[in-house]
Amino acid sequence: MGKMSNMKTTVLLALKNLTRQKRRSLMLALAISFGFFIVTAIDGIASGAMKNLVEHIVQMNGGNVMVQGVKHQTGEDGEIVKKYQFIIDEPEFIENVFLNSGIQYEYYACRTQSGGTVIFNGKKVDTNINGCNYQKETHLIDSFIVLEGNIEDIYKPYSLVITKKTADSLNVQIGDVVLYSTTTVTGQKNVAEFTVSLIIKDDSIMNSIMIYAPIESINETLEMKPNEYNCLSVFVENEKQDLYAQQIEDSIRASGKPVTDRIQAKKEAPNNIAGKIRKQAINNLIPETIYAVASLNDAVPVLGQIVSIVHSVTTMILIVIMLIVMVGISNTYRMIMYERIKEIGTMRAVGMTGKQTGKLFTTEAVILSLIGAIVGVIVALIFMTCVCSIQINFDAFSFFMKNNHLTYEISVGSMIGKYIIMILLTIIAVRGTSKSVSRLSPAQALR
């Protein structure tokens, strides 16, 4: 109780002392606020931009953990050749393995992804068509911003969902029939007719090239069975995607089916893990389907590195600003010590120890820094909210935005780390003054 009472008294005295020289306290607080405003705004907007980029990639793939099947063909002599196709020909097996692996997921998608050319009245667009099971991918349908057409028509066979940009490139309207030229899983050229049933808004360059169709229609075009697909994509918590990718891989291996090795791929090619995983599958000439499991971090490892770099850079900016502010804090509190020299002697004379007197100065500085930091964060939040409310029609940066708006994201862990750094630097800045105060005897101070 005594320690608690002493702490409470110290805090109250520190708060009272801060109000004695309001202008001086305000100037120091503003300097600290400015530093926290800058780092919070940069960190928040950069983190939001990276999150939007990841969301666009996830929408394209259907998730951030992907399972693909690679099956090699058999030559005329009965030997397995290096010619292969991406196909999951045991859909129930792989789906059950994933569902029974115990991972926590938000949604998953079984897609047949096909690359080819859409043709209409002599105009061509090279694109990727995602064959989707709309009944399972309700999250995808919810993300569509419909500009033209009826959402119910997307369930019809050989219907296409295209973006406004693609529609303008081909000069197509709802109900127009386009040709889709592609290559089947056996390597044969094939052409199919699709009807434009829905035109949606494209919120980024990345998503502007996406086209969706019923998976059964794409499978028929590629000469695959109706229930087959070539990619199982799972959306999980971003921080756990690597863990869950490994968990799915281990589950497939435990079932006795051939699967690639993420750990080995990470050792051999840490900057191109997904590429190495794919090579493992392609180079493994076996009659069975070999499964390749990769996370989004494996495919684009630079995304995680960029986020870490942003946090590191903003932390360094804060340290530089705080080092400059530290000089001001140190000089200010040395001056305050001389101004309060008789007051210090009086406090010592009535029973306050040297340690308590020194702690009073440190507490003052820490409270001042905390107030400045909180104000800086509040101003940064207001600033970011205003900036993110502005519509930006600039295609070059659209994949960093959401619906043509910047967004921001505050990392609680990063923010706590910056607060700790600030408090430590503040304590260091007033350490010399606190020591000098604690060593003063009542007689010296009062003299």
Side-chain angles (χ1 to χ4, degrees), residues 3 47 58 133 181 233 243 293 335 435:
K3 286 186 177 180
S47 297
V58 166
N133 186 332
S181 175
S233 302
L243 173 67
V293 185
M335 185 169 57
K435 278 189 173 183

Side-chain angles (χ1 to χ4, degrees), residues 350-421:
V350 297
M352 184 175 280
T353 65
K355 188 177 180 180
Q356 289 173 331
T357 311
K359 191 181 289 183
L360 175 63
F361 276 73
T362 303
T363 304
E364 268 186 57
V366 169
I367 290 174
L368 186 67
S369 295
L370 286 172
I371 292 172
I374 291 169
V375 171
V377 171
I378 292 172
V379 173
L381 289 172
I382 295 171
F383 172 78
M384 290 188 292
T385 301
C386 293
V387 169
C388 294
S389 66
I390 301 171
Q391 185 170 332
I392 304 172
N393 297 312
F394 192 34
D395 287 346
F397 293 102
S398 59
F399 40 80
F400 291 117
M401 297 185 288
K402 189 172 185 178
N403 296 327
N404 293 329
H405 288 83
L406 289 170
T407 61
Y408 66 87
E409 185 173 78
I410 299 298
S411 170
V412 176
S414 176
M415 191 62 63
I416 291 173
K418 289 179 175 65
Y419 266 95
I420 292 171
I421 290 171

Side-chain angles (χ1 to χ4, degrees), residues 268-282:
E268 295 178 359
N271 295 322
N272 188 21
I273 302 169
K276 191 65 180 179
I277 290 172
R278 180 169 290 194
K279 282 185 179 179
Q280 289 178 358
I282 292 170

Side-chain angles (χ1 to χ4, degrees), residues 114 117-120 129-131 134 154 156-162 170 172-182 190-197 211-222:
S114 168
T117 304
V118 177
I119 307 166
F120 181 75
I129 294 186
N130 277 270
Y134 293 130
I154 68 174
K156 295 178 180 179
Y158 288 92
S159 61
L160 279 188
V161 177
I162 65 174
L170 293 169
V172 296
Q173 297 178 351
I174 298 297
D176 285 340
V177 177
V178 300
L179 296 178
Y180 178 55
S181 175
T182 187
N190 194 16
V191 177
E193 291 184 346
F194 284 81
T195 303
V196 177
S197 60
I211 296 180
Y212 303 95
I215 189 170
E216 297 84 2
S217 302
I218 294 296
N219 282 1
E220 190 172 349
T221 305
L222 299 180

